[in-house]
Amino acid sequence: MESLPVIDLKEIRKVYPMGAGHVNALKGVTVSVSAGEMVAVMGPSGSGKSTLLNIIGCLDRPTGGRYILDGIDVSEMSKEELARVRNKKIGFVFQGFNLLSRVTAAANVQLPLLYADGKPDKKEMERRTVEALSWVGLREYGHHLPNQLSGGQQQRVAIARALVNSPSIILADEPTGALDTRTGMEVIDVIQRLNFQKKITVIIVTHEPNVALYCRRIIRVKDGRIQEDRKVDHPRVAAEDLKEMPAEVEE
Amino acid sequence: MNLAGNFGIALNGLRSNKMRSLLTILGIVIGVAAVIVMIAVGQGARARITSQIESMGSNLLMVFPEFSRGPVRGAGGSANTLTREDAEAIAGLPYVERVAPELSGNATLRYEGQTWTAQVSGTTPDMQYIKDWTPERGSFFSDRDISDNAMVAVIGRTAADNLFPPGVDPVGRSIGINRLNFTVIGVLPAKGASIGGQEQDNVVYIPISTAQVRLFGVNNVRLINVQAGSAESMAFLQDSITNLLRERHRIPQGGSNDFNVRNLAAVLATAEDATRIMTLLLASVAGVSLLVGGIGIMNIMLVSVTERTREIGIRMAVGATELSILTQFLVEAVTLCLLGGLIGIVIGFLGSKLISMAAGWPTAVTLSSVLLAVGFSAAVGIFFGYYPAKKAAGLNPIDALRFE
Ligand SMILES: Nc1ncnc2c1ncn2[C@@H]1O[C@H](COP(=O)(O)OP(=O)(O)O)[C@@H](O)[C@H]1O
Ligand SMILES: [Mg+2]
């Protein structure tokens, strides 16, 4: 399964100006992730996990170092080009869901398609939207507004949005941070199935050791540096663990 | 990302926040409505003045009698220095097309017990051509009627309507004018009000000779209408009339005229200019209110950029470029302004109608004023939408996402 690296970071540094001085959020991170991997990034608060993920996701640019994404150097790309890369290759899932509150779940899911190069026609967009919603088990919820959905459902809408444009990478920053154990597990299950079945490369930032056990690889970050990078021999399968958990009634 | 797509995104944005959208465009609505109404009122005023100039007769000079201010002052009373002979002499001048003296006064009309007061005016047949006002029924009187002092009358619409019961054809009927019996030989079509809002249709024309000898018992005339052959000859003709009358009235060198030759069309042209300036003034006041509306839009768009920072961040995270955010906000602003413009046009149109009805002042909503309003509101949208849109597009995606 592990083949050529999709993500290849060399000596990535990130410096934020802060008042009179500055903060070294990343102090030289070198790591590569192969296609189809599922990686957990762990570490204490303020250690630079989100900064790292944002750089990988082309939402932010490194102050120094080199970042090769799918064989292309993105560290020197323009804002325009980065936006295209985000649209085509990357799906984001955030802790706070980040859905547009005033439009329906379906409209939220469809959003990346609206900005796609060679935008598909209306029918095709609707087809892909329904497909993505079905994938996260929310086929019937397309016309709901985000505030009419539970937290777990909202996060699954966000995952549907992340996968609608068939990205090669999905990046999740503490996706279960705002959820209880069971709904968190459901979200992990959806992400895991994306990895297993669609072979999408996944990186999850989390501070919950339990969540990391579902990944094949755990990278520990501390103080802007990689402290530990290890394989997990037998990652847990969320679908199986879900069966053991007491069922809860969803709203 | 094509324009149509951005347009769709912008429309969705507006639809999902109806109340704010509505409040935002209020300024534009008021501004555009004001522009439409102001221009409509101004245009209406001008149209009215133009039609009145035309109804007076073209290339028209009017000679009025006046008290002489020479060393020998005339006795009191009204000036009666003009005569039919003066009018005939004027008719002999070059460049004169037609001449119609007038002697008029109010008189009581009577038909089978019904009475009505109208202006009775003695004149000559040329009057109908000068005013371009020929009878719709029957005919005007002839030169022969004048030499005969004939007891015939041509009656205006208002006088006819008030004197005769409905369904009665006045032509051929006998009416009393101040106890004298006249036969109606013609009915004039309605002409509408004059410049000062004066009723023009409450009039009865009779031969000038009859008016002088039988009705009023005087031998002067109140006014001489002179139609010049062309607009260019008016000034020259004004001078030659003055010279002719001074000579005829034996006014010594340095003595002041006992008459006054007026070019009313010129006076009205000045009035028309004044209305044009008024229209311009009103329109610019309305334009200022449109500008204020535009600033309102900018203000609210700026607030909206701040409020929607997170939305912008989300859009950028899923692949929106600076350009697509810029277009989204710009299209939103322009759409808002155009929407406001359209509502403003409708309100302006209704407002103009209301003013016409309430003030009896004609208004004209023209295509050009509508285009002006639409163009202006689109321009306001682009101009005042650009800065907030640029601000939104310039946001850093990660900062926008983190914004609380
Ligand atoms: N936009 C920013 N401006 C200044 N400092 C920042 C900014 N973003 C992150 N930091 C700093 O960089 C460090 C790493 O932050 P972050 O990557 O968010 O940590 P984590 O996600 O591991 O909690 C922290 O010290 C944080 O204060
Ligand atoms: Mg973080």
Side-chain angles (χ1 to χ4, degrees), chain A residues 16-18 23 25 44-51, chain B residues 399 402:
Chain A
Y16 289 113
M18 182 80 150
V23 182
S45 178
S47 56
K49 306 182 296 290
S50 295
T51 306
Chain B
D399 294 337
R402 278 223 193 89

Coordinates of all heavy atoms in Angstrom, one line a residue, chain A residues 16-18 23 25 44-51, chain B residues 399 402, ligand 1:
Chain A
Y16 N 5.6 33.2 13.4 CA 4.6 34.2 13.5 C 5.1 35.4 14.1 O 5.7 35.3 15.2 CB 3.4 33.6 14.3 CG 2.6 32.5 13.6 CD1 2.6 31.3 14.1 CD2 1.8 32.8 12.5 CE1 1.9 30.2 13.6 CE2 1.1 31.8 11.9 CZ 1.1 30.5 12.4 OH 0.4 29.5 11.9
P17 N 4.9 36.6 13.6 CA 5.2 37.8 14.3 C 4.3 37.9 15.5 O 3.1 37.5 15.4 CB 5.0 38.9 13.3 CG 4.0 38.3 12.3 CD 4.2 36.8 12.3
M18 N 4.8 38.3 16.6 CA 4.0 38.4 17.8 C 4.4 39.6 18.6 O 5.5 39.6 19.2 CB 4.2 37.1 18.6 CG 3.4 37.0 19.9 SD 1.7 36.5 19.5 CE 1.3 35.6 21.0
V23 N 7.0 34.2 17.3 CA 6.8 32.9 17.8 C 7.3 31.9 16.7 O 6.9 31.9 15.6 CB 5.3 32.5 18.1 CG1 5.2 31.1 18.7 CG2 4.7 33.6 19.0
A25 N 6.6 28.7 15.6 CA 5.6 27.6 15.7 C 6.1 26.3 15.2 O 5.8 25.2 15.8 CB 4.3 28.0 15.0
P44 N 1.1 18.2 22.8 CA 0.4 19.1 23.7 C -0.1 20.4 23.0 O 0.3 20.7 21.8 CB 1.5 19.5 24.7 CG 2.8 19.1 24.1 CD 2.5 18.0 23.1
S45 N -1.0 21.0 23.6 CA -1.6 22.3 23.1 C -0.5 23.3 22.8 O 0.4 23.5 23.6 CB -2.6 22.8 24.0 OG -3.1 24.0 23.5
G46 N -0.5 23.9 21.7 CA 0.5 25.0 21.3 C 1.8 24.4 20.7 O 2.7 25.1 20.5
S47 N 1.8 23.1 20.5 CA 3.0 22.5 20.0 C 3.2 22.7 18.5 O 4.3 22.4 18.0 CB 3.0 21.0 20.3 OG 1.9 20.4 19.8
G48 N 2.2 23.1 17.8 CA 2.4 23.4 16.3 C 1.6 22.4 15.4 O 1.8 22.5 14.2
K49 N 0.7 21.6 16.0 CA 0.0 20.7 15.2 C -0.9 21.3 14.1 O -0.8 21.0 12.9 CB -0.9 19.8 16.1 CG -0.3 19.1 17.3 CD -1.2 18.3 18.0 CE -2.3 19.1 18.7 NZ -1.9 19.9 19.9
S50 N -1.7 22.3 14.5 CA -2.6 23.0 13.6 C -1.8 23.7 12.5 O -2.1 23.7 11.3 CB -3.5 24.0 14.3 OG -4.4 23.2 15.1
T51 N -0.7 24.4 13.0 CA 0.2 25.1 12.0 C 0.7 24.1 10.9 O 0.6 24.4 9.7 CB 1.3 25.7 12.8 OG1 0.8 26.5 13.8 CG2 2.2 26.6 11.9
Chain B
D399 N -6.4 33.2 8.7 CA -6.9 34.3 9.6 C -8.4 34.4 9.6 O -9.1 34.5 10.6 CB -6.3 35.6 9.3 CG -4.8 35.6 9.4 OD1 -4.3 34.8 10.2 OD2 -4.1 36.5 8.8
R402 N -10.0 31.5 11.5 CA -9.8 31.6 13.0 C -10.6 32.7 13.6 O -10.8 32.7 14.8 CB -8.3 32.0 13.3 CG -7.4 30.7 13.3 CD -6.5 30.8 14.4 NE -5.5 29.8 14.2 CZ -4.3 30.0 13.6 NH1 -4.1 31.2 13.1 NH2 -3.5 29.1 13.4
Ligands
LIG1 N1 -1.7 33.4 13.7 C1 -0.8 33.2 14.7 N2 -0.2 34.3 15.1 C2 0.7 34.2 16.1 N3 1.0 33.0 16.7 C3 0.4 31.9 16.3 C4 -0.6 32.0 15.3 N4 -1.1 30.7 15.1 C5 -0.4 29.9 16.0 N5 0.4 30.7 16.7 C6 1.3 30.1 17.8 O1 2.0 29.1 17.2 C7 2.1 28.0 18.1 C8 1.5 26.8 17.6 O2 0.2 26.9 17.5 P1 -0.8 25.8 16.9 O3 -0.2 25.2 15.7 O4 -2.2 26.3 16.8 O5 -0.7 24.7 18.1 P2 -1.6 23.4 18.3 O6 -2.6 23.2 17.2 O7 -0.7 22.3 18.5 O8 -2.3 23.7 19.6 C9 1.4 28.5 19.4 O9 2.4 29.0 20.3 C10 0.5 29.6 18.9 O10 0.4 30.6 19.9

